[in-house]
Amino acid sequence: KTDEASGQIAFVWQDGRVLEAYMKGRFLLLDEINLASQEVLDELKIIIDSSVDAYAVKGANRTVKRHSDFRVFATMNPTSVGGGRVKLPQSIRSMFVKVHLQQYSPKEEADICFDQFSARDLIG
């Protein structure tokens, strides 16, 4: 943002999707959580922890309250897939219920596609 008086560019804090979900009681999906850096995981740990009812926003000099309906879901692929995936620390893994899904067979994938999309949508 440009300061009107001085014409200088200034940093202005804007809440992102994580804080919005946290404050408004929305669902938050953390896709591929095991690709996040340790610094990001450290902050997420505070937000995910249901025993913590407020979060001190670094850089914004304020604290926001956790909405009672806020929920977090996370997905990840096994570390064997590669691409920089790491094993999540136990302190974060223990905050989730683990659900392991087997890979779909080609027939199951086709059934899902045909169930979700009409033939016209698939053909283009």
Side-chain angles (χ1 to χ4, degrees), residues 1-11:
K1 179 178 177 181
T2 304
D3 183 275
E4 291 179 21
S6 68
Q8 297 291 319
I9 296 175
F11 173 79

Side-chain angles (χ1 to χ4, degrees), residues 30-77:
L30 302 172
D31 190 27
E32 296 283 5
I33 191 172
N34 61 336
L35 287 174
S37 69
Q38 188 59 51
E39 293 82 10
V40 169
L41 291 174
D42 290 342
E43 292 302 310
L44 286 175
K45 182 178 170 186
I46 299 166
I47 290 172
I48 294 168
D49 188 345
S50 60
S51 69
V52 177
D53 63 356
Y55 175 72
V57 183
K58 293 180 179 174
N61 198 26
R62 69 184 176 117
T63 300
V64 295
K65 187 173 176 4
R66 177 192 184 102
H67 193 286
S68 60
D69 293 334
F70 175 65
R71 299 291 182 268
V72 180
F73 300 87
T75 67
M76 63 184 222
N77 283 307

Side-chain angles (χ1 to χ4, degrees), residues 2 10 14-15 20 23 27 43 45 48 63 67 75 78-79 84 98 108-109 112 116-118 123:
T2 304
Q14 291 185 337
D15 292 344
E20 183 180 314
M23 294 183 297
F27 290 177
E43 292 302 310
K45 182 178 170 186
I48 294 168
T63 300
H67 193 286
T75 67
T79 56
K98 181 179 177 182
E108 290 171 319
E109 289 177 352
I112 291 168
Q116 295 297 313
F117 305 102
S118 70
I123 295 169

Side-chain angles (χ1 to χ4, degrees), residues 106-123:
K107 181 184 180 332
E108 290 171 319
E109 289 177 352
D111 289 345
I112 291 168
C113 288
F114 284 113
D115 185 54
Q116 295 297 313
F117 305 102
S118 70
R120 179 182 50 86
D121 292 335
L122 292 175
I123 295 169

